[in-house]
Amino acid sequence: MDPLLSLGAGLLLLALWVRHKGLEYLLVHHRWVFVCLFLVPLSVLFDIYYQLRAWAVWRLHSAPRQHGQRVRHIQAQVQEWKNEGRKTYMCTGRPGWLTVSLRVGKYKKIHKNIVINLMDILELDIERQVVRVEPLVTMGQLTAHLNPMGWTLPVVPELDDLTVGGLIMGTGIETSSHIYGLFQHTCLAYELVLADGSLVRCTPTENSDLFYAVPWSCGTLGFLVAAEIKIIPAKKYVKLQYKPVRGLEKICDKLTEESKNKENNFVEGLVYSLDEAVIMTGVLTDEAEGRQINRIGNYYKPWFFKHVETYLKANKTGIEYIPSRHYYHRHTRSIFWELQDIIPFGNNPVFRYLFGWMVPPKISLLKLTQGEAIRKLYEQHHVVQDMLVPVKSLEKSITTFHSDLNVYPLWLCPFMLPNNPGMVHPKGDETELYVDIGAYGEPKTKQFEARVSMRQMEKFVRNVHGFQMLYADCYMNREEFWDMFDGALYHKMREQLNCKDAFPEVYDKICKAARH
Ligand SMILES: Cc1cc2nc3c(=O)[nH]c(=O)nc-3n(C[C@H](O)[C@H](O)[C@H](O)COP(=O)(O)OP(=O)(O)OC[C@H]3O[C@@H](n4cnc5c(N)ncnc54)[C@H](O)[C@@H]3O)c2cc1C
Ligand SMILES: *[C@@H]1O[C@H](CO)[C@@H](O)[C@H](O)[C@H]1NC(C)=O
């Protein structure tokens, strides 16, 4: 057995043991002890293991050879399920705690788990500018692989551990989405194993109904086994401009204006209070002014959202050159601003210089070890939500977020939403500019009550023709859900592909009752 893996497993057992020995109080009230002593070193080991593995696989060129065999293994498992009489639904065998998505689906325990062992980059086609990958390939793995060769993805969702499969079957977004759309809009083909065990490829012209039905379907139409994603030339730096803006109307106007300016490769807003924000615009470049280079990803550097706030406090604009990979993963070290609630002193310079290289702990391990008490506590006193709203409703949306949640900073990430068929598209016939509003943290409204407050928010979002990201807690009932999402193509495909007894409906997979 791999020594790193066994060491990791040993540490994990130790961690689980500590948890079961009645340290509940300590864990709830001083979670950082456990996180710093166990999770953080363990996360480092996991990363080293996966990086070595990815490197070796690419060196040995073993992935393309093994891919066919691995897909046949998935098909064989589906065949087995058919032979057994299609008794329960199927789902991927990836344990719920391993995903970045917040909640663990209860269905993992009762559905037939199909083991999907597909975590490699298959092919880089420079001529077509396409990379073909397996679904468990992560964003960290892809940028580490592509950037040194001068390439990158048009949309690189922030966290290293996000997977291609999750970003296609759920969704993904980055600050380049005002040009390229959501993660799935940068994909050119999907390969799936369907409920009848067959392998199909779909593109905008070949099996196009399936191609457009896949995003947001959360694995309820088939198993993704490969995807082709567009690549674009990478540059060394992002020239990033920070602009503090005061006044809600001005903030919304500025964000809209910058999103429509085609010279900006990246547009992002961090809102620090109802009328204070910093709007950032970035341009890719190979040249940099030495003095203005800031390697924000280095472990001893301040957390990015804290760094950005200094421009607001000083009330001055600024320009910095940030190495591209540092830019793509600028919120990773602090998990946006989630880590401040778990390691309160994490941004303290002493901690950063001594231990900064070990954070963040893996979200998967945080989830695995959080225990029922913390989970409940988090559910009632903590929100993690991304709501996608048309930019014309942005001002109203921020006001609503303020009165219902009062969580800051808010993340603003503009994106283009094309009028493709499928679950998510604008109301009109045209491509429309939307904004992802991310709220992560402890609500400061007095009357906050998770269910009531979130249902209120969801209603607001439905009314402005917006969408809720499905990784988060969803309190809508079925009718409300299908009022928010367009089910026409989805249900047609479920019928056509005989999914009814093979996969649950997407609502039954992501609703509150289905997860814990
Ligand atoms: C703290 C935090 C930060 C986040 N930050 C960002 C961010 O910066 N940008 C962003 O875009 N998103 C972000 N997200 C949300 C993220 O987009 C979703 O969690 C997304 O679904 C990816 O998660 P995952 O790779 O762990 O996918 P999973 O949770 O593993 O998968 C999502 C869905 O897809 C299905 N699925 C996965 N693989 C397959 C397959 N091979 N075949 C069939 N079905 C499959 C799963 O069953 C599941 O229903 C964040 C989430 C959290 C909790
Ligand atoms: C910030 O600076 C602008 C001019 O650049 C000025 O008009 C404004 O009053 C300042 N705001 C604060 C809060 O200092």
Side-chain angles (χ1 to χ4, degrees):
M1 195 179 165
D2 192 294
L4 273 176
L5 203 60
S6 39
L7 188 56
L11 264 174
L12 193 64
L13 281 178
L14 193 60
L16 288 172
W17 177 77
V18 168
R19 183 182 138 208
H20 281 287
K21 277 295 172 193
L23 286 177
E24 199 74 12
Y25 176 85
L26 186 72
L27 286 182
V28 171
H29 296 276
H30 301 282
R31 196 172 177 211
W32 63 269
V33 175
F34 176 72
V35 170
C36 293
L37 288 182
F38 293 104
L39 285 200
V40 162
L42 195 56
S43 302
V44 173
L45 283 178
F46 265 72
D47 277 337
I48 294 174
Y49 170 76
Y50 282 114
Q51 276 165 25
L52 284 175
R53 191 195 164 282
W55 179 82
V57 165
W58 186 256
R59 284 281 129 201
L60 297 171
H61 301 288
S62 61
R65 268 185 281 123
Q66 289 178 3
H67 180 71
Q69 193 184 329
R70 288 179 179 152
V71 170
R72 279 190 295 280
H73 177 56
I74 294 167
Q75 292 177 288
Q77 294 174 71
V78 175
Q79 194 57 49
E80 189 184 282
W81 165 82
K82 276 163 69 184
N83 296 343
E84 288 164 0
R86 309 169 75 106
K87 282 203 286 279
T88 58
Y89 291 132
M90 293 181 284
C91 65
T92 66
R94 193 179 186 216
W97 60 267
L98 251 179
T99 70
V100 173
S101 304
L102 277 193
R103 304 286 178 230
V104 176
K106 291 176 184 164
Y107 57 84
K108 289 274 179 194
K109 287 210 185 80
I110 45 173
H111 296 175
K112 177 164 176 84
N113 283 220
I114 303 293
V115 178
I116 299 189
N117 183 19
L118 297 167
M119 44 164 74
D120 294 309
I121 298 169
L122 294 171
E123 200 182 327
L124 184 62
D125 185 338
I126 305 288
E127 218 153 275
R128 278 177 64 219
Q129 303 205 356
V130 171
V131 63
R132 180 164 168 261
V133 299
E134 294 183 329
L136 288 174
V137 164
T138 65
M139 286 303 108
Q141 190 182 345
L142 260 177
T143 48
H145 185 85
L146 293 176
N147 293 9
M149 291 191 270
W151 296 96
T152 189
L153 298 182
V155 173
V156 184
E158 176 69 41
L159 302 177
D160 280 347
D161 289 340
L162 293 171
T163 64
V164 167
L167 294 168
I168 290 170
M169 286 287 177
T171 196
I173 192 165
E174 230 325 309
T175 46
S176 53
S177 288
H178 66 294
I179 302 173
Y180 299 105
L182 298 171
F183 188 81
Q184 53 254 19
H185 301 126
T186 69
C187 295
L188 304 171
Y190 308 130
E191 293 163 46
L192 294 114
V193 169
L194 302 176
D196 65 359
S198 64
L199 173 67
V200 295
R201 181 167 186 271
C202 57
T203 73
T205 51
E206 174 189 355
N207 296 316
S208 66
D209 275 356
L210 180 58
F211 180 79
Y212 290 117
V214 159
W216 298 77
S217 70
C218 293
T220 58
L221 293 171
F223 296 107
L224 187 72
V225 295
E228 287 175 25
I229 314 170
K230 219 188 306 194
I231 54 171
I232 57 170
K235 295 210 172 145
K236 286 199 196 113
Y237 300 98
V238 174
K239 178 183 178 185
L240 193 65
Q241 189 161 19
Y242 305 84
K243 294 163 203 153
V245 185
R246 290 192 157 83
L248 184 56
E249 200 183 330
K250 282 208 184 110
I251 292 169
C252 297
D253 289 349
K254 186 79 186 156
L255 191 85
T256 310
E257 179 197 320
E258 296 292 4
S259 305
K260 289 181 176 165
N261 179 349
K262 292 287 175 262
E263 271 161 35
N264 292 325
N265 297 115
F266 305 99
V267 179
E268 172 176 27
L270 292 188
V271 184
Y272 289 90
S273 74
L274 188 55
D275 59 0
E276 291 174 306
V278 176
I279 306 287
M280 286 161 277
T281 54
V283 176
L284 285 162
T285 169
D286 279 322
E287 317 298 325
E289 312 253 343
R291 273 182 308 121
Q292 286 171 299
I293 294 179
N294 187 357
R295 302 181 185 282
I296 52 165
N298 287 352
Y299 67 86
Y300 48 83
K301 289 282 183 173
W303 286 345
F304 186 64
F305 73 101
K306 288 288 184 192
H307 172 61
V308 176
E309 196 177 16
T310 60
Y311 290 92
L312 182 70
K313 286 187 172 150
N315 193 27
K316 65 165 202 303
T317 60
I319 290 183
E320 284 182 331
Y321 291 82
I322 298 176
S324 296
R325 193 150 192 278
H326 291 221
Y327 178 81
Y328 287 133
H329 300 292
R330 67 201 176 284
H331 294 299
T332 297
R333 280 191 305 126
S334 50
I335 320 183
F336 286 83
W337 25 100
E338 287 286 85
L339 202 58
Q340 66 182 353
D341 292 341
I342 300 170
I343 308 179
F345 45 83
N347 195 41
N348 183 301
V350 180
F351 181 86
R352 279 192 269 120
Y353 277 89
L354 290 178
F355 304 110
W357 56 278
M358 289 205 272
V359 293
K362 283 200 165 305
I363 293 179
S364 50
L365 296 179
L366 284 171
K367 267 166 65 190
L368 177 65
T369 56
Q370 71 182 349
E372 194 51 22
I374 294 187
R375 198 189 63 72
K376 283 249 166 69
L377 209 69
Y378 256 59
E379 193 171 310
Q380 280 313 315
H381 302 285
H382 197 95
V383 292
V384 177
Q385 287 282 349
D386 282 86
M387 297 293 195
L388 317 182
V389 298
V391 76
K392 57 177 185 255
S393 312
L394 180 60
E395 200 176 319
K396 239 184 341 179
S397 305
I398 294 177
T399 318
T400 305
F401 268 75
H402 181 82
S403 54
D404 287 349
L405 300 178
N406 196 2
V407 169
Y408 292 101
L410 288 175
W411 191 49
L412 301 184
C413 183
F415 68 101
M416 271 300 169
L417 188 61
N419 185 32
N420 292 343
M423 280 175 63
V424 169
H425 55 77
K427 194 172 184 131
D429 296 332
E430 312 269 306
T431 294
E432 194 172 335
L433 184 64
Y434 270 63
V435 183
D436 173 5
I437 309 178
Y440 324 117
E442 195 183 321
K444 297 284 187 319
T445 38
K446 266 202 222 83
Q447 71 282 19
F448 182 80
E449 204 276 305
R451 192 185 150 75
V452 176
S453 304
M454 277 322 302
R455 277 189 58 76
Q456 221 163 291
M457 294 280 310
E458 288 165 347
K459 185 169 175 203
F460 169 83
V461 171
R462 279 199 305 280
N463 285 341
V464 298
H465 205 75
F467 306 94
Q468 181 175 38
M469 274 205 197
L470 301 183
Y471 76 86
D473 286 343
C474 165
Y475 292 86
M476 290 184 282
N477 64 33
R478 191 184 309 272
E479 201 180 324
E480 291 162 343
F481 180 85
W482 288 118
D483 187 25
M484 177 180 281
F485 295 97
D486 182 350
L489 182 64
Y490 174 77
H491 289 301
K492 183 179 135 192
M493 293 316 290
R494 297 252 310 160
E495 197 75 40
Q496 235 179 60
L497 302 176
N498 224 339
C499 295
K500 281 259 160 66
D501 58 355
F503 309 105
E505 187 184 301
V506 55
Y507 174 76
D508 291 307
K509 217 173 158 176
I510 61 92
C511 69
K512 203 70 192 93
R515 291 166 162 178
H516 59 119

